[in-house]
Amino acid sequence: MSKQLRFFSDLDEMSAFAADYILQKAKIAVHQNGMFTLAVSGGTTPKKLFSILATDHYRNNFPWDRTHIFWVDERYVPETSDDSNYKAADDLLLAKIKIQKTHIHKIDTSLATPEESALKYEKELKTFFSYKLPSFNMVLLGMGEDGHTASLFPYTDVLEEKEKWVASTPAPLEINPKVPRVTLTYPVLNNSETILFLIGGEKRKALAEMFVDSEDVDFHKYPSAAVKDKGSLLWLTSLT
Ligand code: 6PG
């Protein structure tokens, strides 16, 4: 598996590259199988990308009518909360493009517990992917300064999950917001056709350790290191 790492001078340049890369992948997926399945992460970094995808060029050229949007993970907060990954994507992108509501597969955080939410999301994935292990055309991931990705935090039980497609995780101790999460697990992430890491902000320490001695990186310390691709895995990072 080739790890491609590309550096960009700033977030705008990285996000512009990512938007075009995603558009190309979407067109290929729609041409090959009539639809494009995209799972997005939350956090700060993808917000610029979402805004770019809502500009006229992408609003008019992206195959939104054939695109299904999923979430890689979600914070267990109401979808009206500013900490909600769904809210960020909806405010910046989904509310500005023509996409059917049935193509938006959010993680429902209105249930009594994160566990119930994880079960409900997994049921939705099973229905959509006809009970076969999901293989998203593209998964957008971020990375925290502690090397986590999705809501796969260092030294947590979910890193060992081999069966569930979706799991709930306790509130992280170090990373804000310190709320329980619902997350895709490695079996699903690592079954994706294309994985695009978008890494903004000061993450150089984790990146350096993961790329310098990538063969024997302990994924319990840096969970991002255990993300493998089935097709292509591209790491984009901006130095600011
Ligand atoms: C989340 C994200 C998470 C994020 C990283 C990086 O729910 O917070 O899915 O995995 O990608 O924490 O976040 P930033 O882009 O804000 O640095």
Side-chain angles (χ1 to χ4, degrees):
M1 175 261 302
S2 69
K3 269 188 186 173
Q4 290 179 53
L5 174 60
R6 290 184 67 139
F7 289 92
F8 295 85
S9 50
D10 59 32
L11 183 64
D12 288 3
E13 192 193 14
M14 177 174 77
S15 305
F17 175 90
D20 190 57
Y21 183 77
I22 296 167
L23 174 60
Q24 301 319 316
K25 289 288 183 182
K27 287 180 174 176
I28 293 167
V30 167
H31 177 71
Q32 287 177 345
N33 13 292
M35 74 165 79
F36 176 56
T37 54
L38 170 66
V40 299
S41 283
T44 312
T45 305
K47 289 182 176 176
K48 182 68 190 170
L49 169 63
F50 292 156
S51 302
I52 293 171
L53 291 174
T55 56
D56 287 350
H57 173 67
Y58 289 96
R59 193 171 39 237
N60 303 327
N61 289 287
F62 202 99
W64 294 117
D65 59 328
R66 299 296 187 90
T67 296
H68 286 262
I69 305 268
F70 297 81
W71 273 260
V72 167
D73 65 338
E74 187 55 275
R75 293 83 176 270
Y76 213 66
V77 295
E79 69 179 47
T80 51
S81 161
D82 284 342
D83 282 334
S84 162
N85 290 338
Y86 166 76
K87 183 176 188 293
D90 189 43
D91 289 349
L92 295 167
L93 175 59
L94 304 179
K96 298 176 177 177
I97 57 174
K98 281 202 185 69
I99 184 168
Q100 294 96 310
K101 291 274 178 257
T102 54
H103 285 203
I104 299 173
H105 307 270
K106 61 186 172 187
I107 298 172
D108 182 355
T109 59
S110 68
L111 305 180
T113 65
E115 291 72 22
E116 286 173 64
S117 173
L119 279 173
K120 179 178 179 184
Y121 192 50
E122 182 159 317
K123 275 193 194 124
E124 178 156 0
L125 294 179
K126 286 189 169 167
T127 304
F128 187 88
F129 288 98
S130 311
Y131 289 81
K132 290 194 293 294
L133 184 66
S135 179
F136 291 105
N137 296 126
M138 175 170 281
V139 169
L140 273 185
L141 292 176
M143 188 180 75
E145 61 269 18
D146 62 348
H148 83 263
T149 190
S151 291
L152 306 173
F153 294 101
Y155 306 109
T156 55
D157 295 345
V158 69
L159 301 184
E160 312 303 336
E161 182 57 60
K162 301 279 187 289
E163 301 305 320
K164 288 181 191 165
W165 297 358
V166 184
S168 59
T169 64
L173 302 175
E174 313 286 327
I175 299 285
N176 288 319
K178 297 183 178 66
V179 296
R181 312 288 181 98
V182 175
T183 184
L184 294 179
T185 58
Y186 282 128
V188 173
L189 294 178
N190 292 346
N191 198 42
S192 309
E193 278 173 29
T194 300
I195 298 173
L196 185 61
F197 268 98
L198 280 184
I199 302 180
E202 182 39 68
K203 316 282 171 67
R204 268 172 271 196
K205 183 175 179 305
L207 263 181
E209 292 210 28
M210 282 198 305
F211 274 82
V212 169
D213 45 9
S214 57
E215 289 324 305
D216 54 5
V217 171
D218 176 4
F219 76 96
H220 296 90
K221 180 177 180 186
Y222 292 117
S224 297
V227 172
K228 311 280 181 227
D229 65 295
K230 255 192 8 174
S232 56
L233 170 54
L234 184 56
W235 294 70
L236 309 181
T237 183
S238 72
L239 298 175
T240 55

